[in-house]
Amino acid sequence: MTTPNPHPSVLLKNALMLVTMDDSRREIAGGWVLVRGRTIEALGGPETLPPHADDIIDMTGHVVMPGMVNTHHHMYQTLTRALAQDASLFDWLKTLYPIWARITPDMIRVSTQTAMAELVLSGCTTSSDHLYLYPNGSRLDDQIDAARMIGMRFHAARGSMSVGESAGGLPPDHLVENEAAILKDTHRVIQRFHDPAPLAMTRVVVAPCSPFSVSQGLMKDAAALARETGTMLHTHLAENDSDVSYSQERFGKTPAEYAEDLGWVGPDVWHAHCVKLDAAGISTFGRTRTGVAHCPCSNMRLGSGIAPLRTLRAQSVRVGLGVDGSASNDCNHMLGEARQAMLLARVMHSAETGVLIGVREILEIATRGGAETLGRSDIGYLAPGMAADIVAFNMNDLEHAGALHDPVAALLLCAPGKVSYAMINGRFVVRAGDFLPLDLGALKEMHNRMSHTVIAG
């Protein structure tokens, strides 16, 4: 009787280009990757190709690279795309809060699956999500269940809002929670779901929503809870001029001063947006190794401005990319977000430096940068011992014709495409273009039904 192999091997060979993003940033023509179990066992060029594996896949014509890392999202917002089309941040939120109040646990699960499917197909293998409202019995558990069905590596941020309109906040009172209940439930989900081990598929993040929706007391208590439990901290900060004005008028501080005074700086913290972070704030973030989730599409959609990407990186701020909510971006395409980050950085920084930001720097931010922002050292690049989170893009299509002399550059300079293969934790989620975890047709039908329900009321 044959004993099943507990650690089957998969060999991806003959890549048009293998982009490792390793410490030497190697790009290997004709490269291969050998995966065994959950990790990468070996990789190299055609001269060292292993002769055997349990599963051998020919990557001819494909760029093979590490899965990208999404550092900021609101997946429930896939239900409400293309609404409040011409509103800036605060008016946009006020328009959508009453609609989001109708969301149910089933809607949380389905919208998470929709967002994750779109992310994986765009080359993303790890995502954070910031779920900060819990109407009608919704819980963070609903998202985590959905992520496990998809098979995506997930940093689930237990967000919260506690300061409603009557107390000077932005959200309506019926959408905010009691602060003691927030802390109790956050501790519960950490105990139940958080996995600090290498290769963890689920981690929990402590994440009060924003300066205009939570108290300073909750921010301090949340930071203390995170540090007691070894979890990371995440919130929104300095997103637009109104956000900055709110901090100055209510707290008498700039957003960065507000964050530092509350203990919200350090290598265990990352903030979303930081479009309007001032020079002193950037210096503080760099000195403390605080992270930033750069969300260019959302920032443009809401007219918030352009985050100073090159300045942040020059001052040692950890920076990753985020697609942000699907109602302020209306898209969950990670490769498209990387392309937009590159183009926007060129618009902002070229005049002051005379140097355009490069394709490979942006791909580094989308992979290694995202991993560092989330506090991960086991994902973000391809090397022996690293997590087997690998994606492959087929470059033999019309959109890339004429660009194969540099297929890595073609990924961002040409139209962003979908993956042919996506492996997460050593298991295929997409194979030969097929999304394996569930029927996308049935998912779309269910999602559209729910979207109509929540929007129509």
Side-chain angles (χ1 to χ4, degrees), residues 16 147 251 388:
L16 175 64
F251 310 121

Side-chain angles (χ1 to χ4, degrees), residues 61-180:
H62 289 72
V63 170
V64 178
M65 61 177 279
M68 289 178 279
V69 179
N70 178 35
T71 61
H72 184 66
H73 206 346
H74 308 293
M75 295 181 182
Y76 72 88
Q77 292 179 12
T78 57
L79 295 162
T80 57
R81 300 197 228 217
L83 293 175
Q85 297 169 11
D86 303 316
S88 58
L89 176 63
F90 280 17
D91 288 340
W92 174 85
L93 283 168
K94 288 178 180 178
T95 300
L96 288 168
Y97 281 141
I99 298 172
W100 294 337
R102 296 191 283 266
I103 286 174
T104 66
D106 282 344
M107 290 176 180
I108 294 290
R109 282 188 285 270
V110 169
S111 60
T112 297
Q113 291 173 352
T114 296
M116 286 188 169
E118 194 174 348
L119 283 168
V120 171
L121 287 165
S122 72
C124 179
T125 54
T126 297
S127 184
S128 177
D129 190 68
H130 192 185
L131 182 61
Y132 56 80
L133 47 81
Y134 298 88
N136 308 308
S138 300
R139 300 193 303 170
L140 191 64
D141 310 47
D142 303 317
Q143 274 209 306
I144 293 172
D145 289 345
R148 290 177 172 177
M149 181 175 291
I150 297 296
M152 191 170 206
R153 205 177 295 276
F154 189 37
H155 285 228
R158 204 303 182 181
S160 55
M161 299 191 296
S162 66
V163 178
E165 286 178 303
S166 65
L170 200 67
D173 288 350
H174 65 273
L175 267 184
V176 303
E177 297 177 271
N178 171 271
E179 293 189 351

Side-chain angles (χ1 to χ4, degrees), residues 198-220:
L199 305 180
M201 290 295 289
T202 307
R203 289 188 179 169
V204 174
V205 180
V206 181
C209 184
S210 61
F212 50 82
S213 63
V214 299
S215 72
Q216 294 181 77
L218 179 60
M219 291 291 283
K220 290 178 180 178

